[in-house]
Amino acid sequence: MNRYRIGRVSGPWVNFTPPIRGGRFSHSTSEDPPSKSKSSSIHTNASSESSHVQEPMSELRPLSNLPLTSLGSLPADGAEASPMPTKEPDNASVVKQALEDDMDNYPSLDAETQQNIVQKYRDLHAVVKVGGYYDCRYREYAKELARYLCIFSSFFIALRAGWYTTSAALLGLFWHQIMFTAHDAGHQGITHNFVIDTLIGMFIADFCCGLSMGWWKSSHNVHHLVTNHHEHDPDIQNAPLFAISPSYLSTFHSSYYNFTFAWDRVAELAIPFQRYTYYPIMGVARFNLYFLSWCHLLSPRSKTLGAAAWTRPTEICFMLIYWFLFGYCLVWRSIPTWPLRIMFVLVSHIITMPLHVQITLSHWSMSTSDFGEAESFPQHQLRTTMDVECPAWLDFMHGGLQFQAVHHLFPGVPRHNLRRLQQLVIRFCEETNIKYKRLGFVAGNKDVLGKLGEVANQLEWMLKCQKHMAETGESGLH
């Protein structure tokens, strides 16, 4: 592994904000004064493969210890920002208050506390590996496959019988169920082999559902790394339709999309009603996934090199076949009239709404505060993710997504082992004093709607204060 080494760490490791997320570093020289930062020094070995001449070791030091939001909000080089709106709510005080409240509810960010959490997490991971939690129970997937085939056969029989509404509902249910296995494959949680699991994921997502597995991996991996960070997590960046945090009540820059979302009139009109538009929009969310999938595959982001170079053309091929089978053979050739075709498309897509609700349920009501780089990985995942409680016999309807907090701690563990692993996570949270939030499905929905309503009320309050200050010239501070 020495040939791949890019640096050496001196002393205890302290997290830096990486350059891709806004961190800035400078090369120090022997004339530079010693660094006063508490962060460890990183030494890079600059060597040339062509000349094989090793250059002197240099030290990289962070230019700033500012949190992610300070540097991450800067547009990336070459990014074209949207025009800055003239009247933008001032959300700084609300964001600050939310951060203070969150910090009161979680363990201290001091190095000793966080290092203790990390050590206990490593001990837990050792137990997970030794206990066989990474071993896939293929018998469970045999049951899954039997259910998928039963649903698909029922869809085909109903279609041939001319029961188009029933057929559409069964197709939607089929899509809803098989995407759980695509999620497993995306995390290499089935065979733990990149090629095999990628092909399984592509067959399900691209060929059967018309959705890009590559797009999902691209955004989902970032989501797992920076869960619920308003500038970096694409899964919660739904402007201008939704704002799950007061941080979205103003212009913000997305590091994933490399785009600045400007606060505009559309957001000002949509956000106050987001608690009412939540379910209708979730009902048609699948159409947006088609759009994002093709945007990804046709963008430079989807280009892969080396051993994974085959994935992009394979995805494009699979998705074109999907649209031929679904759009032409099924909708156009098998359904006789336009009203029935429209009905079939809408029903089949709306039936998948519970899947989209399930995905948002585990994160949208949770903390979006930025604790900076001092927060440990396990604390961050448990602070930004919750689990949904349900009886074991209903696990097939949730597809493992009800154990999102457990899954975020151990993404590679097959979903059929997550219920058993949950008991270890509960003990881990008790030992580390980290909150482990679990709600039932109905209570979880109420929690999300409550969060959407809370942010909408904050917007209304800020706009009223802004209007009052504009009319009276008073700041309201005494």
Side-chain angles (χ1 to χ4, degrees):
M1 295 298 292
N2 287 336
R3 64 181 297 186
Y4 300 107
R5 189 183 69 185
I6 61 172
R8 182 186 298 116
V9 177
S10 299
W13 176 261
V14 177
N15 291 334
F16 291 153
T17 302
I20 196 171
R21 286 164 55 193
R24 296 183 176 183
F25 300 83
S26 67
H27 284 274
S28 66
T29 65
S30 57
E31 297 178 358
D32 291 336
S35 173
K36 295 182 180 179
S37 171
K38 294 182 180 179
S39 302
S40 305
S41 299
I42 297 182
H43 300 283
T44 60
N45 187 350
S47 60
S48 171
E49 293 187 2
S50 58
S51 62
H52 300 282
V53 177
Q54 182 171 318
E55 298 293 333
M57 302 292 280
S58 61
E59 181 181 317
L60 285 179
R61 293 183 301 164
L63 288 177
S64 173
N65 289 324
L66 294 175
L68 264 58
T69 48
S70 302
L71 293 175
S73 59
L74 297 174
D77 294 339
E80 191 171 323
S82 301
M84 186 69 71
T86 53
K87 294 183 179 179
E88 186 173 314
D90 182 8
N91 62 349
S93 60
V94 182
V95 172
K96 181 181 178 182
Q97 184 60 51
L99 174 61
E100 292 174 353
D101 292 342
D102 285 338
M103 284 192 166
D104 288 339
N105 293 323
Y106 288 89
S108 170
L109 296 179
D110 66 85
E112 183 180 354
T113 300
Q114 293 301 309
Q115 187 58 41
N116 179 60
I117 293 173
V118 169
Q119 186 56 54
K120 289 184 181 297
Y121 174 66
R122 289 172 179 166
D123 294 341
L124 173 60
H125 190 210
V127 173
V128 170
K129 289 191 291 185
V130 173
Y133 289 88
Y134 281 106
D135 297 337
C136 184
R137 292 187 284 163
Y138 294 108
R139 182 180 300 177
E140 297 299 326
Y141 278 107
K143 298 176 184 177
E144 301 277 351
L145 181 60
R147 184 167 62 253
Y148 300 160
L149 291 175
C150 180
I151 297 173
F152 188 81
S153 300
S154 300
F155 144 73
F156 191 76
I157 293 171
L159 178 68
R160 300 301 293 174
W163 302 342
Y164 298 116
T165 303
T166 303
S167 177
L170 288 168
L171 179 60
L173 181 60
F174 173 72
W175 284 337
H176 171 273
Q177 285 288 295
I178 61 175
M179 282 308 294
F180 295 139
T181 299
H183 177 263
D184 300 342
H187 283 286
Q188 296 183 39
I190 301 177
T191 68
H192 304 303
N193 179 282
F194 170 77
V195 175
I196 297 176
D197 280 354
T198 298
L199 284 172
I200 293 173
M202 284 183 178
F203 176 75
I204 295 173
D206 297 74
F207 185 89
C208 296
C209 298
L211 305 176
S212 168
M213 195 67 190
W215 159 75
W216 179 85
K217 279 188 174 184
S218 174
S219 65
H220 196 68
N221 288 343
V222 175
H223 161 71
H224 269 266
L225 288 171
V226 282
T227 310
N228 269 26
H229 193 291
H230 80 281
E231 293 182 28
H232 306 299
D233 184 357
D235 280 17
I236 63 169
Q237 293 171 347
N238 300 287
L241 299 179
F242 295 113
I244 66 167
S245 163
S247 299
Y248 290 125
L249 301 182
S250 63
T251 296
F252 70 95
H253 183 79
S254 168
S255 63
Y256 178 81
Y257 293 110
N258 194 21
F259 180 78
T260 298
F261 291 85
W263 179 261
D264 55 19
R265 183 62 176 165
V266 176
E268 193 170 315
L269 293 174
I271 301 298
F273 300 97
Q274 61 181 355
R275 75 192 88 176
Y276 308 111
T277 59
Y278 172 66
Y279 291 114
I281 291 177
M282 291 297 108
V284 295
R286 189 179 181 87
F287 294 105
N288 182 52
L289 301 189
Y290 290 142
F291 173 74
L292 292 175
S293 293
W294 280 110
C295 285
H296 172 79
L297 287 178
L298 299 177
S299 72
R301 187 190 290 268
S302 67
K303 293 181 180 179
T304 52
L305 303 174
W310 58 273
T311 57
R312 183 171 182 252
T314 304
E315 282 202 89
I316 293 175
C317 179
F318 277 7
M319 287 178 63
L320 289 175
I321 294 174
Y322 165 83
W323 283 108
F324 173 75
L325 294 175
F326 175 73
Y328 179 71
C329 297
L330 176 56
V331 176
W332 180 255
R333 293 296 301 272
S334 302
I335 302 176
T337 65
W338 272 107
L340 285 175
R341 290 167 183 159
I342 295 172
M343 177 278 301
F344 186 93
V345 171
L346 288 177
V347 170
S348 62
H349 285 65
I350 291 173
I351 287 294
T352 64
M353 181 183 73
L355 174 61
H356 303 290
V357 171
Q358 179 80 58
I359 293 170
T360 61
L361 206 61
S362 298
H363 298 291
W364 279 26
S365 66
M366 299 300 287
S367 169
T368 56
S369 298
D370 175 21
F371 278 22
E373 301 297 338
E375 185 178 34
S376 61
F377 173 80
Q379 177 172 312
H380 178 83
Q381 298 303 324
L382 290 164
R383 178 173 62 85
T384 57
T385 312
M386 82 167 186
D387 280 351
V388 177
E389 292 185 319
C390 75
W393 63 267
L394 201 56
D395 281 351
F396 76 97
M397 282 301 296
H398 294 274
L401 299 183
Q402 74 272 36
F403 301 115
Q404 274 292 286
V406 182
H407 167 65
H408 268 249
L409 290 175
F410 304 100
V413 171
R415 64 176 153 113
H416 301 106
N417 296 333
L418 293 177
R419 180 174 287 277
R420 188 162 56 101
L421 178 54
Q422 186 185 45
Q423 301 307 312
L424 299 183
V425 173
I426 291 174
R427 289 202 294 270
F428 168 78
C429 292
E430 291 173 351
E431 292 174 1
T432 57
N433 200 30
I434 300 176
K435 281 188 174 182
Y436 176 27
K437 187 172 181 179
R438 289 171 292 166
L439 295 175
F441 187 76
V442 174
N445 275 263
K446 291 180 179 179
D447 208 35
V448 170
L449 293 176
K451 184 65 171 288
L452 294 174
E454 177 186 339
V455 175
N457 292 336
Q458 289 171 340
L459 172 63
E460 181 181 7
W461 173 78
M462 287 190 292
L463 290 176
K464 285 182 178 179
C465 290
Q466 188 179 58
K467 182 179 179 181
H468 173 77
M469 289 187 289
E471 291 176 349
T472 65
E474 296 179 1
S475 65
L477 300 175
H478 300 286

